[in-house]
Amino acid sequence: MQDIHTMLSTLRRPRILVSAARHGIEDYCRTRNLRRILGDARLPSSGEAALRLMEIEAFHDEARRTGDGSYSIARHIEVLIALMAEAQLLRQPVLVE
């Protein structure tokens, strides 16, 4: 089984989706966005959130690839923004007092 960092680094999506998501990261509010996407009042750790977001993102990507009529590019980008922001949090060093 791959670790979360390897899974994130091997994720490949169209450049335009990634670019749109990068522009949205600065407006990402973990409390607001993560709760809406995950549908959970409890905020998970960044690692748990990233794993759940990867599952949701894979669902959206499959819909995109198959031309599913219910595919929403806005929702896909929203999930990618959250995934990229949570990945950034995972890379931050943990400070111990």
Side-chain angles (χ1 to χ4, degrees):
M1 178 178 210
Q2 296 178 337
D3 71 343
I4 187 71
H5 298 288
T6 303
M7 290 166 57
L8 288 169
S9 68
T10 60
L11 196 65
R12 300 287 179 251
R13 296 298 178 256
R15 189 173 300 175
I16 195 159
L17 286 176
V18 174
S19 178
R22 280 192 185 125
H23 288 293
I25 289 177
E26 63 190 47
D27 294 327
Y28 178 72
C29 173
R30 188 171 201 271
T31 304
R32 179 189 65 224
N33 297 101
L34 203 51
R35 283 185 175 150
R36 183 175 58 240
I37 294 167
L38 299 180
D40 195 348
R42 179 189 67 86
L43 284 177
S45 68
S46 290
E48 181 185 342
L51 288 172
R52 290 175 63 190
L53 288 165
M54 287 184 74
E55 290 176 7
I56 295 167
E57 193 281 331
F59 171 81
H60 287 290
D61 196 57
E62 180 65 22
R64 176 187 67 81
R65 289 174 187 263
T66 60
D68 188 326
S70 66
Y71 173 70
S72 167
I73 192 167
R75 181 79 169 145
H76 194 173
I77 291 170
E78 179 182 39
V79 173
L80 281 171
I81 290 168
L83 182 55
M84 292 168 78
E86 293 300 319
Q88 284 180 349
L89 290 174
L90 280 172
R91 286 191 285 269
Q92 292 178 354
V94 177
L95 300 176
V96 179
E97 295 181 21

